[in-house]
Amino acid sequence: MTEYFSLADSDVIGFDLDHTLCRYHLKETSRLIYESFARYLVEHKGYDKDLLNLTPATWDFCFKGLVVDLEDGNLVKLAEDGTVLRATHGTNDLSTEDIIKHYGPKREWGHFNSLNTTFTRSAKYYFYDNYFDLPGALLCGRVVDMLHKRGNEVNSDFWKDMVAAIEHNYKTSAFKASGT
């Protein structure tokens, strides 16, 4: 290894999304991540092309700490004790009455204890805890909306397609230069 590192000697430099080495343009990064996932769902899984159309207001839906409840397509924002503060079904806000209907009078999300103790992923939920994940929360909401529009039942099956989109877009072979 050489004693000095020169940027001029590098063709490509990659950074992590932990903001250690650079300041990211989250708006542009989120748009690119969303578009890559949505394009895969449209081109490979037969989802509606409408998933590719976004307005600037659409991004207001995204914020850290959302949990997608894969059993019913709800996205929930939780208090630190597991109380559902607000929720949507797809991208549509649930009323207080709807939240109580789904989560009971105490508005308790049933999987909170497993989320709070392990922070692992589950077949029943996915926790969107970082900026890299946020475009996926928006896409999940829009997929649930699309399933309703088609008259399809919303269940955790759509998540398999989401995982396939993630795997497709981040497999290491996608980053190899052609011919190598």
Side-chain angles (χ1 to χ4, degrees):
M1 184 168 183
T2 62
E3 188 175 339
Y4 299 99
F5 173 76
S6 171
L7 292 175
D9 295 335
S10 301
D11 293 327
V12 176
I13 298 172
F15 296 97
D16 235 344
L17 284 176
D18 63 0
H19 304 280
T20 306
L21 301 174
C22 68
R23 191 173 291 180
Y24 287 90
H25 298 281
L26 289 176
K27 190 183 212 180
E28 291 82 6
T29 302
S30 293
R31 183 183 51 77
L32 290 171
I33 292 168
Y34 177 92
E35 287 176 358
S36 67
F37 291 164
R39 190 170 319 300
Y40 175 83
L41 292 178
V42 169
E43 294 174 1
H44 298 279
K45 297 293 185 177
Y47 284 75
D48 292 344
K49 289 182 182 179
D50 188 48
L51 288 178
L52 299 171
N53 301 323
L54 292 175
T55 63
T58 308
W59 290 105
D60 289 342
F61 180 80
C62 294
F63 49 88
K64 286 174 65 172
L66 285 176
V67 178
V68 62
D69 189 334
L70 298 173
E71 296 174 313
D72 59 17
N74 290 345
L75 283 106
V76 296
K77 178 65 176 174
L78 302 170
E80 58 187 41
D81 65 354
T83 302
V84 175
L85 296 173
R86 58 185 164 210
T88 66
H89 185 71
T91 61
N92 300 303
D93 290 331
L94 293 179
S95 67
T96 300
E97 294 78 25
D98 288 335
I99 292 172
I100 291 170
K101 186 170 82 174
H102 281 279
Y103 302 105
K106 293 184 179 180
R107 300 168 63 141
E108 296 173 316
W109 184 60
H111 303 292
F112 178 72
N113 288 334
S114 64
L115 174 71
N116 197 33
T117 57
T118 64
F119 288 99
T120 59
R121 304 305 186 228
S122 164
K124 297 181 187 261
Y125 63 83
Y126 186 86
F127 181 51
Y128 287 100
D129 58 347
N130 63 59
Y131 289 119
F132 180 76
D133 278 346
L134 284 182
L138 175 59
L139 188 58
C140 277
R142 295 194 72 215
V143 165
V144 169
D145 293 345
M146 186 204 66
L147 291 171
H148 274 293
K149 185 178 171 186
R150 287 183 175 177
N152 295 348
E153 181 183 335
V154 175
N155 56 39
S156 62
D157 289 346
F158 78 91
W159 186 247
K160 294 173 191 167
D161 292 338
M162 292 292 297
V163 171
I166 294 167
E167 290 173 348
H168 174 78
N169 282 293
Y170 294 105
K171 59 185 173 188
T172 55
S173 61
F175 297 102
K176 292 182 180 178
S178 58
T180 59

